[in-house]
Amino acid sequence: MNVTIIGAGYVGLLSGACLAEKGHRVSCVDISQQLVEQLNQGKPHIYEAGLAELLGRALDSGRFRATTDLDSSLDRCDLVIVAVGTPSENGVIDLSSIVQISRRIGLYLRTRDRHLSIVIKSTVVPGTTDTLVRSEIASASGKDFPSFGLGMNPEFLREGNAISDFMEPDRIVLGYEDDKTLQLLEELYAPWEADKIRVNTRTAELIKYANNILLATQVSTVNEIANLAAALGNIDVMDVVRAVHLDKRWNPILEKGRVTPGILSYLVPGCGFGGSCFPKDLQALRSQGREKGIPMHMLNAILKVNDSQPRQVVDTIAHELGDLTGKTALVLGLSFKPGTDDVRESASLKIVRSLLQKGVKVIAHDPVATHNFKTALGTPGDKLHYVDSWTENVDKADIVIVATAWPEYQELSQLHLEGKVVFDARRMFQPSAFTKGKYLSIGRRMS
Ligand code: UGA
């Protein structure tokens, strides 16, 4: 199929390169000439494992190109996928790019006598495609639905695993408002054998939110239990969690033994979730729910717990050490999770800010996210230093905080940590691994 993808950001570029890999001819449209040139030279502007190779193959095959020329791209395509950003503006979804693109497609349709199906891939609050997108296209084109088609096809891509998530999906949601669009979506995803769910567009939109919300619920719930365990004392919440994980409804016992489903990794206490999706999506749906008269108590609680979770780290250290002024902390991990350079809503931002406020000197390390972290944090003065080698800086620190579970930090337990406080904010280690230094963590205060 000939597919136009509008927006060469994370989702647009990844989807485009993956669709090209499966044999479709993809034209990825973006307003940035510089970005388009860069992509056509095979240089992705985002960090994602395997993406540069995938893009290279897509370009070599002749099935992928980036362009700024929307009309020519639309002229050649069977289906257009919209993958523009839907950021959060004070907790409310900002749909201005969706509106702008819908109008732009409408203007294109005004000048052409053809059918076009428009499929939204951006995360949008339920009801966006069948009301806002529909009416904007209709008024700009002067034509009514169903003279154009409408679909919604949410993505379930985890940063760091996005290519395998796209290429080997657990399910594909085909949201549609008309049969022609469903038929095109079926054709688009014919090369995939995953379970396919056929629903209307607002159901597809809610599926995306429900998925992220239920994952975030696990994180905040286990964090709240962890905080209680710490406050009670003499409980290690990991013992609690390990026992809960063995409930056969979470972790079925099959003939060959336990399955250990991926969901269990969201049921491990830590310093909170972040990234470009969970916080933004929860806020957006909370705001939509309130608008509809539903108070959204759960979303409120999940977000509240998450907001204050990074504070547990600094508060616990202060509780142990008293005044932190003049101490030096080595913060290991700045991205919101391992495997990405994304620092949006990263717990490390809050942890570092709070340490600096308390007069702590901070040495910060991340394998790939330092540049983004610097930009996100702004200029914090002379109390913060970024380093390339964390092992060489352990000696300088009074406190070592593991804030992101990058595998390389496993080495920490083998280093000389006499007299130091280690705070394991991701529960990467067994407490017994630290016999020399003082081991602190979320969900465990042994006195
Ligand atoms: C998330 C969802 O997992 C994807 O399915 C979804 O498509 C995507 O949002 C999106 O809306 O586009 P992502 O933000 O990349 O993907 O992150 P996750 O890997 O799910 O991590 C989210 C948060 O949960 C992170 O803060 C992470 O630290 C935490 N997490 C993640 C865990 O606590 N345990 C894990 O095993 C994985």
Side-chain angles (χ1 to χ4, degrees), residues 123-138:
T123 299
V124 292
V125 287
T128 300
T129 305
D130 64 4
T131 56
L132 187 69
V133 173
R134 176 181 166 154
S135 65
E136 291 294 342
I137 296 176

Side-chain angles (χ1 to χ4, degrees), residues 10 48-49 156-166 337-339:
Y10 188 82
E48 178 66 37
F156 302 100
L157 307 177
R158 290 163 302 161
E159 289 185 32
N161 296 83
I163 294 174
S164 62
D165 283 347
F166 200 103
K337 65 171 187 179

Side-chain angles (χ1 to χ4, degrees), residues 47 159 271-272 274-275 331-349 365-370 372-373 403-406 409 426:
Y47 171 85
E159 289 185 32
C271 51
V331 176
L332 300 178
L334 306 174
S335 56
F336 82 97
K337 65 171 187 179
T340 175
D341 66 351
D342 195 341
V343 303
R344 283 174 286 181
E345 304 281 339
S346 169
S348 303
L349 285 165
H365 175 269
D366 191 282
V368 293
T370 304
N372 288 345
F373 194 84
T404 312
W406 285 100
Y409 299 145
R426 294 293 175 186

Side-chain angles (χ1 to χ4, degrees), residues 12 79 87 123 154 184 220 231 280 310 320-321 350 395 400 424 438:
L79 179 77
T123 299
L184 289 165
S220 275
K280 165 178 89 87
E320 286 293 327
L321 298 185
K350 284 189 185 162
D395 277 354
V400 181
D424 178 5
K438 188 168 181 67

Side-chain angles (χ1 to χ4, degrees), residues 16 77 171 221 283 405 444:
C77 81
R171 77 242 113 134
T221 307
Q283 286 175 30
R444 178 182 179 273

Side-chain angles (χ1 to χ4, degrees), residues 94-391:
D94 174 1
L95 291 169
S96 54
S97 295
I98 292 282
V99 168
Q100 204 185 327
I101 292 300
S102 303
R103 285 185 192 153
R104 183 66 185 76
I105 294 171
L107 291 175
Y108 164 84
L109 286 175
R110 183 177 279 274
T111 62
R112 304 290 196 282
D113 183 20
R114 64 160 298 189
H115 177 276
L116 184 61
S117 278
I118 299 101
V119 173
I120 304 297
K121 205 176 226 330
S122 310
T123 299
V124 292
V125 287
T128 300
T129 305
D130 64 4
T131 56
L132 187 69
V133 173
R134 176 181 166 154
S135 65
E136 291 294 342
I137 296 176
S139 68
S141 65
K143 297 169 184 169
D144 274 338
F145 175 82
S147 69
F148 55 89
L150 286 172
M152 203 282 151
N153 170 226
E155 50 81 18
F156 302 100
L157 307 177
R158 290 163 302 161
E159 289 185 32
N161 296 83
I163 294 174
S164 62
D165 283 347
F166 200 103
M167 298 305 274
E168 298 134 43
D170 37 20
R171 77 242 113 134
I172 298 174
V173 175
L174 308 177
Y176 67 101
E177 292 299 316
D178 54 286
D179 291 344
K180 173 78 181 157
T181 301
L182 176 61
Q183 188 194 320
L184 289 165
L185 282 169
E186 300 275 14
E187 212 180 306
L188 183 72
Y189 286 109
W192 280 270
E193 276 177 11
D195 287 331
K196 290 174 187 157
I197 321 274
R198 296 158 186 91
V199 287
N200 64 21
T201 56
R202 56 176 56 203
T203 307
E205 287 158 347
L206 186 55
I207 288 171
K208 165 71 195 214
Y209 282 94
N211 210 83
N212 278 356
I213 287 166
L214 286 166
L215 292 169
T217 307
Q218 314 309 316
V219 178
S220 275
T221 307
V222 83
N223 282 342
E224 191 161 71
I225 292 168
N227 298 344
L228 177 64
L232 290 168
N234 209 20
I235 300 176
D236 184 345
V237 78
M238 281 312 289
D239 293 333
V240 177
V241 163
R242 268 191 289 271
V244 173
H245 282 191
L246 292 177
D247 182 321
K248 58 179 177 283
R249 288 163 295 184
W250 287 112
N251 192 342
I253 308 167
L254 302 183
E255 242 171 59
K256 286 186 184 157
R258 295 280 187 175
V259 190
T260 312
I263 185 69
L264 296 182
S265 62
Y266 290 80
L267 276 167
V268 174
C271 51
F273 60 75
S276 62
C277 304
F278 282 15
K280 165 178 89 87
D281 291 354
L282 269 69
Q283 286 175 30
L285 210 72
R286 175 175 66 178
S287 144
Q288 190 191 39
R290 285 175 176 171
E291 225 174 73
K292 298 282 172 199
I294 309 291
M296 308 306 271
H297 298 303
M298 288 291 292
L299 290 186
N300 215 24
I302 298 162
L303 285 163
K304 261 190 156 169
V305 170
N306 195 58
D307 243 22
S308 56
Q309 196 61 12
R311 215 182 302 138
Q312 290 289 325
V313 178
V314 183
D315 286 356
T316 308
I317 296 170
H319 177 84
E320 286 293 327
L321 298 185
D323 186 9
L324 298 180
T325 316
K327 302 266 187 225
T328 299
L330 173 61
V331 176
L332 300 178
L334 306 174
S335 56
F336 82 97
K337 65 171 187 179
T340 175
D341 66 351
D342 195 341
V343 303
R344 283 174 286 181
E345 304 281 339
S346 169
S348 303
L349 285 165
K350 284 189 185 162
I351 293 171
V352 167
R353 281 195 189 109
S354 169
L355 289 168
L356 292 170
Q357 264 164 18
K358 289 193 183 303
V360 177
K361 278 194 250 163
V362 178
I363 305 171
H365 175 269
D366 191 282
V368 293
T370 304
H371 174 75
N372 288 345
F373 194 84
K374 273 185 198 166
T375 312
L377 197 72
T379 358
D382 58 358
K383 289 242 157 33
L384 172 59
H385 300 283
Y386 297 92
V387 292
D388 292 330
S389 164
W390 63 273
T391 46

